[in-house]
């Protein structure tokens, strides 16, 4: 008989429970040699547009030729793209900035467009835009609650508002013509006005990247400025000014990873979830005889004899009060939200294991109402742990005859195929019901 593992005792006192804030970043253990991150904030900045050029055609016999300044190139965009090869948000930097456009040049040579950047994120990444009230930020002064990205966005919005009010700052002038240019009657191009209106009235960004190759534009590059030929009029045949390029769009983003898997493993610490995942799939999570061995989610692929494949996710163990951030808390409960089938792994050698199952269901429902009502299978692990495990299993079948119980020994690999085929049947029935 294997050595008895001490049970994890958790005291549920209100004083010891830390209230959950609106945004709780998590950087769990290491996965693949990098820190596993499933929630983070980042700032996406589109490239600035290049300035238009103030230039005039000059030749041997043409001392005062027409205006021939080129337009500036538009700035690059910032994209997020779902990639099935990524498993963590550690691949995303805090600052995502595209290349700016090139300035226009003489002889009607237009500037080149800034190159886009595409950031790869895992499948199942939720992208949400965060808004910062710059008036409150200025009134409060230095606020430790605002991170660096939020303060940067507040300062940038203030600078852009001041610049928009000053019409002269929107133009680039010919050398020593700043005071001689009269910009009162100059009309801004319709394209320029439309771009500024679109940026000011852009809807809040919200996207869910669930499929491989799905992309979303998170920061648009700025519009390139226009050269002085665009401002030729009957009053001014040789304009000595051109339009500056516009700054790129800036957004503070909240990225949240919700793992996409067909099956989610749920259980208490040291119930044998990782051992079960190693036995049925190609995943190799850490296994040890102490609680909270798994510090971040693992996804394994189960391959059947007919070449069909399903994915199974293992999350860290849940303890009473997990929905209130006790233990590892609800930081990883989001990873089973997308699972179509739940597999409850219960240590059948513990006293009254059916109480553990009820606790797990209660925690899921307290985190999200109705989550435990999804199709589920109960894997009674450690069924090889002597007579106590056998007696508990027989008593459980009498207490809940309608419950789908499968006794297994994940460590010895016994009865594993029965559990995997039961999961396959449940998934097939869900697909048939949808069609």
């Amino acid at each position: 008989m294997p050595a008895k593992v001490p049970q994890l005792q958790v005291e549920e006192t209100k004083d010891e429970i830390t209230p959950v804030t609106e945004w709780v970043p998590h950087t769990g253990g290491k996965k693949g040699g990098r820190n596993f991150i499933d929630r983070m904030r980042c700032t996406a900045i589109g490239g600035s547009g290049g300035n238009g050029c103030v230039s005039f055609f000059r030749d041997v016999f043409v001392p005062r030729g027409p205006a021939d300044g080129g337009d500036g190139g538009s700035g690059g965009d910032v994209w997020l793209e779902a990639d099935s090869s990524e498993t963590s948000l550690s691949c995303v930097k805090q600052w995502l900035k595209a290349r700016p456009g090139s300035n226009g040049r003489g002889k009607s040579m237009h500037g080149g467009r800034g190159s886009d950047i595409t950031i790869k994120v895992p499948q199942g990444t939720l992208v949400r835009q965060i808004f910062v009230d710059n008036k409150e930020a200025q009134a409060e002064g230095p606020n430790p609650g605002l991170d660096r990205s939020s303060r940067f966005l507040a300062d940038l919005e203030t600078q852009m508002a001041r610049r928009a009010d000053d019409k002269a700052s929107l133009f680039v002038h010919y050398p020593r013509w700043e005071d001689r240019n009269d910009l009162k009657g100059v009309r801004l191009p319709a394209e320029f006005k439309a771009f500024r209106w679109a940026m000011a009235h852009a809807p809040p960004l919200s996207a869910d990247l669930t499929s491989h190759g799905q992309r979303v534009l998170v920061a648009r590059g700025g519009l390139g400025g226009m050269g002085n030929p665009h401002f030729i009029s009957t009053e001014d045949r040789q304009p000595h000014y051109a339009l500056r390029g516009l700054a790129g769009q800036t957004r503070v983003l909240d990225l949240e990873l919700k793992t996409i898997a067909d099956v989610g493993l749920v259980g208490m610490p040291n119930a044998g979830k990782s051992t079960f995942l190693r036995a049925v799939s190609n995943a190799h999570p850490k296994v040890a005889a102490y609680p909270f061995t798994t510090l971040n989610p693992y996804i394994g692929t189960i391959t059947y004899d007919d070449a069909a494949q399903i994915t199974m996710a293992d999350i860290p163990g849940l303890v009473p009060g997990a929905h209130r951030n006790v233990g590892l808390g609800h930081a990883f409960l989001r990873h089973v939200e997308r699972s179509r089938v739940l597999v409850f792994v219960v240590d059948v050698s513990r006293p009254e294991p059916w109480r553990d199952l009820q606790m797990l269901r209660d925690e899921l429902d307290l985190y999200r109402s109705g989550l435990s009502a999804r199709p589920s299978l109960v894997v009674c692990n450690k069924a090889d742990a002597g007579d106590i495990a056998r007696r508990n299993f027989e008593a459980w079948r009498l207490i809940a005859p309608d419950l789908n119980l499968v006794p297994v020994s994940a460590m010895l690999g016994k009865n594993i195929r029965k559990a995997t085929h039961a999961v396959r049947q449940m998934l097939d029935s869900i697909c048939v019901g949808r069609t």
Side-chain angles (χ1 to χ4, degrees), residues 26-48:
H26 179 83
T27 56
K30 288 193 173 182
K31 187 173 184 178
R34 299 179 296 181
N35 287 332
F36 178 81
I37 301 175
D38 61 359
R39 193 164 189 182
M40 67 171 298
R41 280 184 179 178
C42 64
T43 303
I45 307 175
S48 301

Side-chain angles (χ1 to χ4, degrees), residues 24 241 322:
V24 183
Y241 51 85

Side-chain angles (χ1 to χ4, degrees), residues 12-292:
E12 296 186 46
T13 58
K14 295 184 178 179
D15 296 335
E16 296 181 356
I17 296 175
T18 304
V20 181
T21 58
E22 181 181 357
W23 176 72
V24 183
H26 179 83
T27 56
K30 288 193 173 182
K31 187 173 184 178
R34 299 179 296 181
N35 287 332
F36 178 81
I37 301 175
D38 61 359
R39 193 164 189 182
M40 67 171 298
R41 280 184 179 178
C42 64
T43 303
I45 307 175
S48 301
N51 296 333
C53 179
V54 183
S55 176
F56 302 94
F57 178 75
R58 295 290 184 267
D59 206 348
V60 178
F61 301 104
V62 187
R64 298 191 61 184
D68 65 348
D71 299 340
S74 299
D77 302 329
V78 181
W79 294 81
L80 293 182
E81 181 177 343
D83 191 343
S84 58
S85 63
E86 295 291 345
T87 58
S88 170
L89 293 177
S90 60
C91 56
V92 182
K93 297 180 180 180
Q94 287 191 341
W95 297 88
L96 313 175
K97 189 171 183 179
R99 298 283 296 179
S102 303
N103 296 332
R105 301 176 64 183
K107 298 183 181 180
S108 300
M109 290 189 293
H110 303 314
R113 186 181 185 279
S115 57
D116 300 342
I117 62 170
T118 302
I119 308 300
K120 305 290 186 179
V121 296
Q123 290 181 247
T125 301
L126 287 173
V127 184
R128 288 185 292 262
Q129 183 179 358
I130 301 174
F131 294 94
V132 179
D133 191 348
N134 54 344
K135 293 182 180 179
E136 294 181 1
Q138 293 176 359
E140 295 177 3
N143 186 355
L146 289 176
D147 59 4
R148 184 184 175 193
S149 300
S150 302
R151 293 195 300 269
F152 172 81
L153 182 60
D155 296 339
L156 183 62
E157 289 179 349
T158 304
Q159 296 175 8
M160 292 300 296
R162 294 175 180 174
R163 182 174 175 179
D165 296 336
D166 186 8
K167 187 175 181 180
S169 64
L170 299 177
F171 291 88
V172 56
H173 301 271
Y174 198 72
R176 297 185 298 275
W177 274 74
E178 292 83 354
D179 299 332
R180 300 170 62 181
N181 284 331
D182 185 10
L183 303 176
K184 293 181 179 179
V186 178
R187 294 184 178 181
L188 296 177
E191 182 182 1
F192 187 83
K193 292 181 179 179
F195 184 88
R196 289 210 301 175
W197 186 93
M199 291 295 99
H201 299 82
L205 177 63
S206 179
D208 191 1
L209 305 179
T210 57
S211 58
H212 178 74
Q214 184 179 356
R215 307 178 74 201
V216 60
L217 177 63
V218 296
R220 186 177 176 184
L223 186 67
M226 297 181 179
N228 57 338
H230 290 274
F231 302 97
I232 296 177
S233 62
T234 55
E235 293 81 8
D236 190 357
R237 303 303 300 174
Q238 286 193 333
H240 287 70
Y241 51 85
L243 198 60
R244 293 183 183 274
L246 291 177
Q249 191 176 24
T250 301
R251 279 173 166 164
V252 176
L253 306 176
D254 179 20
L255 304 183
E256 181 181 2
L257 174 60
K258 292 185 178 181
T259 303
I260 299 178
D262 300 318
V263 183
L265 295 180
V266 182
M268 295 186 66
N270 208 34
K273 301 184 302 300
S274 299
T275 307
F276 180 77
L277 184 64
R278 290 172 66 101
V280 302
S281 71
N282 59 352
H284 298 282
K286 183 180 179 181
V287 176
Y290 53 83
F292 295 114

